[in-house]
Amino acid sequence: MNRVVGAAALLLKSELVIGQAAALSRLTTQKQLSHIPAGCVLLSGRRHYRSMPTHGIGRYRHLLIEETPKKKKREKVQMKEIFEGTDHEFGVLNIQASGYDMTLVEHYAQYVHNLCNRLGVKVEESYGLPTKTQEVMRLQDQGTKMYLDAVLTVHERVVQIRSLSSTLAPILLEILQRNQPEGVNLMVKQHTEADFHSRFKARPELEGLMAQVN
């Protein structure tokens, strides 16, 4: 009997201790909440909203229709004022390379451009002229009629330089002539207004319509 009574007393004591601890914890939490102002939210260490289905709410950029960028109108190439030169410097010069092999002409024009940059010659621009075609006619062995034998395409590239000194000009021309490949014609001339207009392909039909409108 004594053992049973002692066990019951221990159980009562333990229940009392647990009840007192629970009451103290409630009081401490109430005191902590009383110090927090209204409108504040207690944040725990874990962010549960990361995995919730409402994550990302408020995003709207994916709903907007992407605007296609407007294409800029290509500005017309306008003729620059031609520099006539001085007593010690040449004006605007065109170094023209032409030939039937486009690869040779293009590589030689690149060589001329790089050479001018190394020698300190100012390069205004580098461009290509419209391709020209030449028809080769052949006379028959017996008869007077001629027939088309071949069609040759002439490719031309221009490297335009400015303010070439009179002392450097002969050196530059000698280097260009020594490195001139076979089948490529080289010509150096002063830039004129006619050379500027030759860059553009002629459109006789459009010119005729423009004349009618005007």
Side-chain angles (χ1 to χ4, degrees):
M1 290 291 293
N2 293 330
R3 291 180 179 178
V4 174
V5 172
L10 289 172
L11 287 172
L12 290 173
K13 287 182 180 180
S14 63
E15 288 178 358
L16 290 173
V17 171
I18 292 169
Q20 291 177 359
L24 287 172
S25 64
R26 288 173 187 172
L27 289 173
T28 52
T29 52
Q30 287 179 359
K31 288 181 180 180
Q32 289 176 357
L33 290 172
S34 62
H35 292 293
I36 299 173
C40 293
V41 180
L42 287 173
L43 296 176
S44 61
R46 296 179 181 178
R47 295 184 176 183
H48 300 287
Y49 68 87
R50 287 285 184 184
S51 59
M52 295 179 69
T54 56
H55 177 58
I57 194 169
R59 293 183 181 178
Y60 62 91
R61 293 189 181 275
H62 65 282
L63 300 174
L64 298 177
I65 301 173
E66 294 184 359
E67 296 182 357
T68 55
K70 296 181 179 179
K71 294 183 179 179
K72 294 183 180 179
K73 294 183 178 179
R74 295 181 64 182
E75 297 181 356
K76 293 183 178 180
V77 180
Q78 297 181 355
M79 183 177 176
K80 300 178 182 178
E81 186 178 356
I82 300 175
F83 176 64
E84 296 181 356
T86 60
D87 296 338
H88 306 287
E89 291 181 349
F90 290 94
V92 181
L93 299 177
N94 290 343
I95 303 176
Q96 299 181 2
S98 60
Y100 301 113
D101 191 348
M102 186 180 66
T103 305
L104 279 177
V105 175
E106 186 69 29
H107 287 178
Y108 187 63
Q110 291 178 4
Y111 168 76
V112 173
H113 198 150
N114 293 331
L115 180 64
C116 292
N117 291 336
R118 290 178 182 178
L119 296 178
V121 180
K122 185 178 180 181
V123 178
E124 286 285 311
E125 56 183 341
S126 180
Y127 56 89
L129 294 178
T131 304
K132 300 176 183 178
T133 57
Q134 294 180 354
E135 295 181 352
V136 179
M137 306 298 292
R138 187 172 181 179
L139 186 65
Q140 294 180 357
D141 297 336
Q142 296 178 357
T144 58
K145 292 184 178 180
M146 300 181 68
Y147 64 93
L148 182 64
D149 186 30
V151 178
L152 302 177
T153 55
V154 181
H155 307 278
E156 191 169 359
R157 300 290 182 269
V158 178
V159 179
Q160 192 175 102
I161 60 176
R162 178 175 177 165
S163 302
L164 178 63
S165 63
S166 57
T167 55
L168 186 60
I171 300 172
L172 177 63
L173 292 176
E174 185 178 356
I175 296 172
L176 293 178
Q177 288 177 354
R178 286 191 176 185
N179 294 279
Q180 181 181 353
E182 295 182 1
V184 177
N185 299 322
L186 177 66
M187 183 174 61
V188 180
K189 57 177 292 188
Q190 191 172 2
H191 180 67
T192 59
E193 187 176 354
D195 295 330
F196 173 76
H197 293 295
S198 65
R199 295 178 58 178
F200 310 105
K201 197 171 183 178
R203 296 182 179 178
E205 296 179 358
L206 181 62
E207 291 176 359
L209 292 174
M210 293 292 291
Q212 292 177 7
V213 171
N214 296 331

